[in-house]
Amino acid sequence: MLRTIGRRLLFLIPTLFGLSILLFAWVRALPGGPAVALLGEKATPEAIARVNELYGFNKPLIEQYFIWVTRLLQGDFGTSIQTNRPVTEEFLRRFPATLELSVMALIFAVGIGIPLGYWAARRHGKLTDHASVVLSLIGITIPVFFLAFILKYVFAVQLGWLPSDGRQDPRIDATHPTGFYVWDGIITGEFDAAWDAILHLILPALALGTIPLAIIVRITRASVLEVQNADYVRTGRAKGVGTPTLRNRFILRNAMLPVITTIGLQTGLLISGAVLTETVFAFPGIGSFLARAIFTRDFPVLQGFIIFIAIAYALINLAVDVSYSFIDPRVRVQ
């Protein structure tokens, strides 16, 4: 197992190398340029030339790329044009917010998706099965930003049940040693702050988790339908295996491999795809900061954040692959 993990981590090196080339080329192809982003649209040609000379933007692209990669290997991801702070510091400040939101959305998607998909498969062909299929199709097709606005308007503006934006009520004087507001409130004993943080997470988590929920329902339903008709399930039923054992050990456990794969992929997408949700709810995570970086052409932030997200995505998929062996001993990670 350790050799497998080490081999997968080594495979991460060429993946990140290829991503760095594509990322560097994409960022340099954006309209404007780093100098214009630093100085503004009304910058004079002389000022632009001075900035290009100062930061090396007038050097050949290949030379710029190798300078950038060398700095990355040294842990220097550059300085944000928006805040004039190191990119690594900005990422570490905002990543707990996005991770907390993603975990909440994943709990919502998995906690409802797997039972609903299993329940639909057990009632295959009945009204409840058809209803779950229709609802999952609606969940996949509805745009995230549209659902976010609807949730915000109904539950925050009209009903006033939940907060409309932010991570926490600014009137609460809470301590945040880790940056994870819910966890911080629990470990410091400030349970009112933890509860307020949970309330601020509900609406964005519902909006963000709807598409993963719909996908998990469909994958779970299809996988359970396939497994419950397998020969070993019919054999176990013929030999008098009890229904709870048959459902839990024979059907559900063996149907989990494709579901776990889907959950792993969706987890990476949640972390990397929270831009619209965080923007609608003014949630101070990496998604909303990335959106501002695109508009302001903050190249160091764009490059650094995407590299960080790619590493997180690859590690999540590695964890999913390793988990196969624990779910099904017949599977050996290669």
Side-chain angles (χ1 to χ4, degrees), residues 54-104:
L54 178 63
Y55 291 96
F57 296 142
N58 57 348
K59 295 179 179 179
L61 287 178
I62 295 180
E63 185 176 350
Q64 290 185 49
Y65 170 76
F66 281 108
I67 292 174
W68 175 60
V69 170
T70 302
R71 290 175 177 172
L72 288 183
L73 295 176
Q74 295 172 351
D76 180 8
F77 287 80
T79 302
S80 170
I81 296 173
Q82 302 176 69
T83 63
N84 202 32
R85 286 195 289 262
V87 171
T88 305
E89 178 184 333
E90 294 290 355
F91 182 85
L92 294 177
R93 287 180 59 195
R94 288 167 172 81
F95 184 68
T98 298
L99 185 59
E100 201 169 48
L101 174 59
S102 300
V103 169
M104 189 78 166

Side-chain angles (χ1 to χ4, degrees), residues 97-326:
T98 298
L99 185 59
E100 201 169 48
L101 174 59
S102 300
V103 169
M104 189 78 166
L106 193 65
I107 291 173
F108 163 67
V110 174
I112 297 178
I114 292 179
L116 185 58
Y118 179 78
W119 180 60
R122 296 296 301 170
R123 288 155 181 81
H124 178 57
K126 298 181 180 180
L127 179 60
T128 51
D129 180 31
H130 297 312
S132 68
V133 172
V134 171
L135 290 175
S136 65
L137 285 173
I138 294 174
I140 292 174
T141 56
I142 188 170
V144 173
F145 69 90
F146 178 75
L147 178 61
F149 277 118
I150 293 297
L151 292 173
K152 184 175 181 179
Y153 178 75
V154 173
F155 294 101
V157 178
Q158 291 296 317
L159 299 177
W161 292 352
L162 295 167
S164 61
D165 52 37
R167 292 188 69 190
Q168 198 163 61
D169 191 327
R171 293 171 295 182
I172 295 179
D173 186 17
T175 308
H176 301 299
T178 68
F180 297 95
Y181 282 15
V182 176
W183 178 245
D184 289 341
I186 294 173
I187 63 176
T188 60
E190 299 171 347
F191 298 109
D192 58 331
W195 177 245
D196 184 72
I198 292 174
L199 293 178
H200 280 78
L201 283 169
I202 291 176
L203 289 182
L206 289 177
L208 186 61
T210 300
I211 291 179
L213 167 64
I215 294 174
I216 290 171
V217 168
R218 294 181 66 84
I219 295 297
T220 303
R221 175 183 175 274
S223 184
V224 171
L225 283 175
E226 180 181 357
V227 171
Q228 71 182 6
N229 295 319
D231 291 338
Y232 60 85
V233 174
R234 288 197 295 267
T235 302
R237 188 178 292 115
K239 289 184 175 181
V241 176
T243 300
T245 302
L246 195 66
R247 291 179 177 178
N248 295 330
R249 298 188 61 183
F250 282 62
I251 298 176
L252 191 57
R253 183 173 181 178
N254 288 289
M256 279 297 101
L257 286 182
V259 178
I260 292 298
T261 302
T262 302
I263 292 173
L265 294 173
Q266 292 302 313
T267 303
L269 292 175
L270 287 175
I271 294 176
S272 60
V275 174
L276 294 175
T277 305
E278 291 184 359
T279 301
V280 171
F281 290 99
F283 201 83
I286 59 176
S288 57
F289 197 70
L290 265 178
R292 291 199 301 272
I294 292 173
F295 285 111
T296 59
R297 292 193 291 277
D298 194 341
F299 298 112
V301 167
L302 289 174
Q303 295 175 148
F305 274 35
I306 292 175
I307 289 291
F308 281 129
I309 292 171
I311 294 173
Y313 196 97
L315 293 178
I316 289 170
N317 280 278
L318 173 61
V320 169
D321 290 344
V322 172
S323 70
Y324 289 166
S325 298
F326 297 98

